Amino acid sequence: MQRTAALLALLVFALPAMMTAALIWFSLGRPLLFRQVRSGLGGRSFTLVKFRTMHDIRDINGQLLPDVERETALTRLIRAVRFDEIPQFLAILAGEMDFVGPRPLQPATMAAFGPLGMVRCRVRPGLTGWAQVNGNTRLSDTEKLALDIWYIDHRSIALDARILLLTAATLVRGERTRANHIAAALAHLRARSDGVAAGDRLARRAAP
């Protein structure tokens, strides 16, 4: 069903995709697409493809400048309406992503999460997710991880439908943090971490 929906979405967004490509050509030039290796289901790597929305401008030390300094007015608008995400329907069509799930991260970032990184890889990454509808860019990395883990442990069709509806609302009203959802996710993450730590201690005591 997800692949069928992705194919329909590609047909529906064909014209917006062409318009987005033209705007990026005018604003940034080539290349039009941004590609990066991300971790998917089970930690398997795949190449994420999006429309490019930033210049490759670096400081004197060769480090990329902050995102806000590499965007243009046009690409900022493209990001706001999420048209840069249109090529990711191809990843859903290929079975590498779902419509809803934790956002795909780079392998190094997933490895830095330790055991929680493996938990995060239990489901396919998504085009949108629980963290994205609860603040997204306004959240800390810890809050995003907590919301992702909460989603994985409470995943259901009803929750996915709710996230899709909240995604539509976010596109219209902009990003909003939901303190109650964030607090619940952080508490869930603490309880989960305490449980794992207690299990490790018991395992060490039981070891010969």
Side-chain angles (χ1 to χ4, degrees), residues 31-82:
L32 300 179
L33 298 176
F34 166 82
R35 293 180 173 88
Q36 191 175 68
V37 174
R38 302 289 178 95
S39 290
L41 180 65
R44 292 188 294 273
S45 296
F46 72 98
T47 301
L48 178 81
V49 181
K50 302 171 63 174
F51 280 118
R52 187 166 73 100
T53 56
M54 297 185 192
H55 286 289
D56 186 23
I57 304 175
R58 300 173 183 268
D59 61 22
I60 58 174
N61 297 314
Q63 300 296 316
L64 287 171
L65 295 178
D67 291 357
V68 69
E69 296 183 36
R70 295 189 290 125
E71 295 176 326
T72 69
L74 281 175
T75 61
R76 195 172 298 116
L77 174 62
I78 290 170
R79 286 167 64 90
V81 296
R82 307 291 176 88

Side-chain angles (χ1 to χ4, degrees), residues 70-122:
R70 295 189 290 125
E71 295 176 326
T72 69
L74 281 175
T75 61
R76 195 172 298 116
L77 174 62
I78 290 170
R79 286 167 64 90
V81 296
R82 307 291 176 88
F83 279 3
D84 60 316
E85 310 277 2
I86 293 175
Q88 291 177 69
F89 289 128
L90 292 170
I92 299 175
L93 192 61
E96 295 169 334
M97 291 178 61
D98 284 343
F99 278 95
V100 179
R103 288 294 295 157
L105 300 177
Q106 295 183 62
T109 303
M110 297 294 283
F113 287 152
L116 289 176
M118 294 308 299
V119 173
R120 209 176 176 279
C121 288
R122 288 179 183 173

